[in-house]
Amino acid sequence: METTAPEAKPEPPAPQASNAKPTWEGLVLGALNKVKRYPRRAAMLRQQGVPYIRFVMDREGKVLSSRIERSSGFRSLDDEAVSLPKRAQPLPKLPAEVKGDSIELVVPVEFFMR
């Protein structure tokens, strides 16, 4: 006698916790995200976007300059993004393999309503 029960399928493997060391870039982005605030006016108007900021930091994580690289189309989001690096300092120190006294980074800052 045949059954009509569905065929048992093996469970997918459980997700593995990553033991990879966080990258220096990931640590910098994490520091920026920790101090990011959604501007009240932008939230009220339901403005969303991804401004790109360009900033320069020294080896010790001090921000030397910060400016908008590519606008989100909304001034309040752009202004908040530009203020992040200085508010988050000191940022993670430059790793030994990065040469020079400073580094210039361009990073996206995501503002999305939940």
Side-chain angles (χ1 to χ4, degrees):
M1 178 169 153
E2 284 188 35
T3 66
T4 57
E7 182 182 327
K9 293 192 174 109
E11 289 290 312
Q16 297 296 307
S18 172
N19 60 357
K21 196 170 149 229
T23 65
W24 174 77
E25 291 89 348
L27 294 173
V28 170
L29 288 175
L32 295 176
N33 279 322
K34 230 181 259 181
V35 299
K36 179 171 71 174
R37 303 178 197 131
Y38 215 110
R40 178 176 284 140
R41 180 164 169 72
M44 285 181 0
L45 297 172
R46 304 209 45 85
Q47 295 172 340
Q48 303 182 91
V50 184
Y52 281 73
I53 55 172
R54 177 182 295 270
F55 64 96
V56 178
M57 61 176 272
D58 69 12
R59 294 204 70 81
E60 298 302 306
K62 181 176 180 233
V63 176
L64 306 174
S65 67
S66 177
R67 66 179 172 86
I68 199 77
E69 177 73 8
R70 189 170 86 204
S71 175
S72 66
F74 299 106
R75 175 123 192 212
S76 60
L77 298 182
D78 294 351
D79 290 348
E80 170 62 10
V82 168
S83 73
L84 286 178
K86 286 199 187 280
R87 204 162 61 231
Q89 64 186 344
L91 291 166
K93 293 181 181 183
L94 287 177
E97 61 270 15
V98 175
K99 302 298 176 215
D101 294 334
S102 64
I103 189 169
E104 186 169 41
L105 299 168
V106 176
V107 299
V109 181
E110 297 181 349
F111 291 99
F112 293 114
M113 306 296 290
R114 293 175 191 224

